[in-house]
Amino acid sequence: MVADRQRGGRYDPESDEDRDRKPQSDEAHSAFTPPLGVPLPAPPEDEHPTSEFALPEGIGPGPEEAQPEGSAFTPPSGTVHPAFTPPHGIPQVSLTKEAPWQDRMRTMLRMPLAERPMPERPAKQEEAGPPVPRVLDLTLRIGELLLAGGEGAEDVEAAMFGVAHAYGLGRCEPTVTFTLLSVSYQPSLVEDPVTASRTVRRRGTDYTRLSAVFRLVHDITTQGLTLEEAYGRLAEIRRNRHPYPGWTLTMASGLLAGGASLLVGGGLVVFLAAAAGAMLGDRLAWLAAGRGLPEFYQFVAAAMPPAAMGVALSASHAHVQASAVITGGLFALLPGRALVAGVQDGLTGFYITAAARLLEVVYLIVGIVCGVLIVLYGGVHVGGGALSPEAALQRQERPVVQIVAAMLLVFAFAVLLQQERHTVLMATLNGGVAWVVYGALADTAGLDPVPATAVAAGLVGLFGQLLSRYHYTSALPYVTAAIGPLLPGSAMYFALLNFARNEMNTGMASLTRAAALALAIAIGVNLGSEMARMFLKVPGEGALRRAAKRTRGF
């Protein structure tokens, strides 16, 4: 019976039992029931479903049978594509805290955002995260003090990034544009960014405060100050008064003008006249500032008394070199600090800030020109005909007197910049070395003044950067005052005097020379600083200092 019902391993459709199993209608058929004559599948061994992306057994590639190269999901054999994580993970970039924070923060700022190392300070378990608004506020306040003090835009951004990074805000981007500071922080790619900004409306010269802010940033990035401690120290820095009283600054301006007059060939009478004119101009500028006049008119008021003193001295004593009196007054007014900062911002890629700062320099120089020209025009056409353009640039070789005068000028300039007392001596020595180098190249070797000025300014920038790295502070206190003897005060006076005599071609030639000397000073200072950074140890292991230029090509 069984043999009759089974033929070749199949049920016989004509058997009685199978005939009883047949459904009575078509509606009884299931869509998943195999047709008659097809064996039922074996029941599954377990009920656990598998992933729809899992490869069936026996289909996956074996060790000898790898997928051919060119697969969309397999990197080429023998190479590691940068889009895939290396087998041993991404190497960690570590930045040593022994290096100055300026170098460490510049290194991270010039890295892509995905390659920056995360902050090392772990968040506490009970805290949800760093207080973002307070950290951003502290970052902006520190950046405001640095930018108002004349610091370069790159160092301001580095300081802002260092403060935010130290408090756990690694994914932040600071931006500096002359008078506007902003910082943006994005916790993750799916969260909204938090952006804060602050406007710098008043700028002042106080390098003591600038150095204190630098030390605060250094302690935040290396010693891990809390927010309360950082806010307390910042408030103390803002409350501190200037280190020198007003009468000391007035005396320093007179000393600066007197030293500059000795530097260009003047004697004792010229020294006293230049000092008196500069101090009177300083008091007039303070009076104009107290009345709320813009800085342009303050420079006009400050430039008139030295010029009037020179014209009066020339009319009364023809044998006295009155041009040195006016030249000394110009040395006390030329904005060398803003010029160096503007050119530095341009060389480091901050073109908007550089253009704004250079435009500020142009306005200040125009104010000086207006003040001096008003007096010179009246002196030349009314009774000061003894003023001679040929006598403006007469130089006498007095090495000892000129070196002492240069160091005296730098000392007075450092006091005017409100520097700390222990930095005044180093800046004075730096300026004396710069003048000795310039004199050796220009007077002894006969080199043109423009390259001689660039070499001397390069040494100033090099020594200033080395001293700043040793003291973990800004380089400006060691650089700005030291370039004082190199400022083109004589060339500027020569140009203005020719303009007053209606000799435009000669005046434009002298003005162009003064601009070339000013650019040589700024570029030399920046090049010296970059040389110091180039040959000193780069912070971090394998973290290269990216170029300041953001683009490549032509």
Side-chain angles (χ1 to χ4, degrees):
M1 185 79 176
V2 175
D4 294 337
R5 289 193 304 165
Q6 295 182 356
R7 298 176 181 176
R10 297 183 302 170
Y11 288 104
D12 188 1
E14 300 299 331
S15 62
D16 296 339
E17 295 179 4
D18 293 340
R19 192 177 296 111
D20 296 338
R21 294 178 183 176
K22 291 174 62 178
Q24 302 299 324
S25 62
D26 294 336
E27 288 79 1
H29 284 285
S30 173
F32 300 97
T33 303
L36 296 176
V38 178
L40 295 174
E45 297 180 0
D46 52 5
E47 297 297 335
H48 299 287
T50 59
S51 172
E52 57 180 329
F53 298 103
L55 294 176
E57 296 182 2
I59 299 182
E64 305 89 14
E65 301 176 3
Q67 294 184 4
E69 293 189 4
S71 173
F73 300 98
T74 306
S77 59
T79 60
V80 179
H81 198 269
F84 295 87
T85 304
H88 302 288
I90 300 177
Q92 181 182 3
V93 179
S94 60
L95 299 173
T96 60
K97 292 186 178 181
E98 288 75 14
W101 61 264
Q102 301 100 305
D103 292 343
R104 291 187 283 116
M105 295 307 127
R106 282 196 197 98
T107 302
M108 285 196 286
L109 271 177
R110 293 174 181 179
M111 288 181 181
L113 187 61
E115 298 180 9
R116 292 177 185 172
M118 295 303 294
E120 300 178 1
R121 178 184 298 178
K124 296 182 180 180
Q125 297 295 331
E126 62 272 10
E127 295 181 357
V132 176
R134 295 194 66 196
V135 173
L136 296 184
D137 178 72
L138 177 66
T139 301
L140 291 173
R141 290 180 182 273
I142 290 178
E144 178 189 10
L145 288 180
L146 292 176
L147 189 62
E151 191 60 61
E154 187 178 30
D155 286 336
V156 176
E157 281 196 359
M160 294 172 63
F161 179 77
V163 173
H165 187 272
Y167 289 112
L169 306 186
R171 302 177 61 90
C172 70
E173 288 292 342
T175 305
V176 177
T177 53
F178 189 52
T179 59
L180 180 64
L181 300 170
S182 64
V183 58
S184 179
Y185 169 66
Q186 188 172 11
S188 64
L189 296 178
V190 297
E191 297 183 60
D192 295 333
V194 181
T195 303
S197 61
R198 195 174 183 89
T199 302
V200 180
R201 302 193 181 276
R202 293 190 61 185
R203 293 187 299 275
T205 303
D206 189 346
Y207 282 179
T208 299
R209 179 177 295 177
L210 186 70
S211 301
V213 176
F214 262 72
R215 286 192 293 269
L216 174 60
V217 176
H218 171 70
D219 293 342
I220 290 175
T221 55
T222 57
Q223 299 180 9
L225 296 180
T226 63
L227 274 176
E228 288 72 17
E229 294 173 345
Y231 265 109
R233 288 188 49 180
L234 184 63
E236 183 180 355
I237 292 172
R238 297 179 70 94
R239 284 195 304 265
N240 282 347
R241 300 179 61 87
H242 299 307
Y244 307 106
W247 65 269
T248 305
L249 300 181
T250 301
M251 295 292 294
S253 63
L255 191 62
L256 193 155
S261 65
L262 292 178
L263 197 63
V264 295
L268 180 60
V269 177
V270 172
F271 176 88
L272 296 177
M279 288 190 290
L280 182 58
D282 181 75
R283 286 294 91 191
L284 285 179
W286 277 104
L287 181 62
R291 295 291 181 178
L293 291 179
E295 197 172 13
F296 175 84
Y297 300 105
Q298 298 175 26
F299 271 77
V300 173
M304 293 179 70
M309 190 71 69
V311 171
L313 196 62
S314 175
S316 59
H317 299 84
H319 62 280
V320 176
Q321 190 180 1
S323 59
V325 178
I326 306 176
T327 303
L330 291 177
F331 267 90
L333 296 176
L334 289 178
R337 173 182 60 88
L339 175 67
V340 172
V343 175
Q344 180 181 358
D345 288 341
L347 295 176
T348 51
F350 294 85
Y351 302 113
I352 297 178
T353 306
R357 279 183 165 168
L358 292 178
L359 185 61
E360 180 188 26
V361 171
V362 170
Y363 271 104
L364 297 182
I365 291 179
V366 169
I368 299 172
V369 169
C370 291
V372 175
L373 274 182
I374 291 172
V375 178
L376 287 183
Y377 186 82
V380 169
H381 293 278
V382 174
L387 288 173
S388 174
E390 289 78 13
L393 293 180
Q394 286 183 359
R395 297 193 57 187
Q396 304 175 8
E397 293 187 4
R398 302 180 299 175
V400 178
V401 175
Q402 288 180 334
I403 292 175
V404 173
M407 297 181 68
L408 191 65
L409 188 154
V410 175
F411 174 81
F413 203 175
V415 174
L416 281 176
L417 293 174
Q418 304 277 2
Q419 293 188 195
E420 295 176 303
R421 288 177 172 81
H422 71 273
T423 64
V424 172
L425 177 60
M426 300 305 299
T428 303
L429 294 177
N430 197 10
V433 171
W435 180 255
V436 169
V437 172
Y438 172 78
L441 294 177
D443 297 337
T444 305
L447 190 65
D448 187 83
V450 175
T453 301
V455 173
L459 290 178
V460 170
L462 177 63
F463 293 151
Q465 188 63 226
L466 293 176
L467 290 172
S468 69
R469 292 174 66 92
Y470 178 75
H471 293 286
Y472 289 92
T473 184
S474 173
L476 291 181
Y478 304 102
V479 169
T480 306
I483 64 173
L486 305 176
L487 292 175
S490 298
M492 180 68 70
Y493 167 71
F494 197 10
L496 297 181
L497 186 55
N498 280 283
F499 288 151
R501 293 166 62 94
N502 205 21
E503 298 177 1
M504 297 299 175
N505 293 333
T506 309
M508 287 301 299
S510 182
L511 189 62
T512 303
R513 188 173 188 81
L517 291 172
L519 288 177
I521 292 172
I523 295 175
V525 168
N526 181 262
L527 183 60
S529 301
E530 293 297 329
M531 292 290 289
R533 296 194 187 104
M534 184 184 303
F535 293 106
L536 293 177
K537 182 180 179 181
V538 178
E541 300 175 0
L544 298 178
R545 182 176 183 263
R546 313 252 175 158
K549 189 171 178 58
R550 272 64 173 175
T551 57
R552 293 291 183 268
F554 297 93

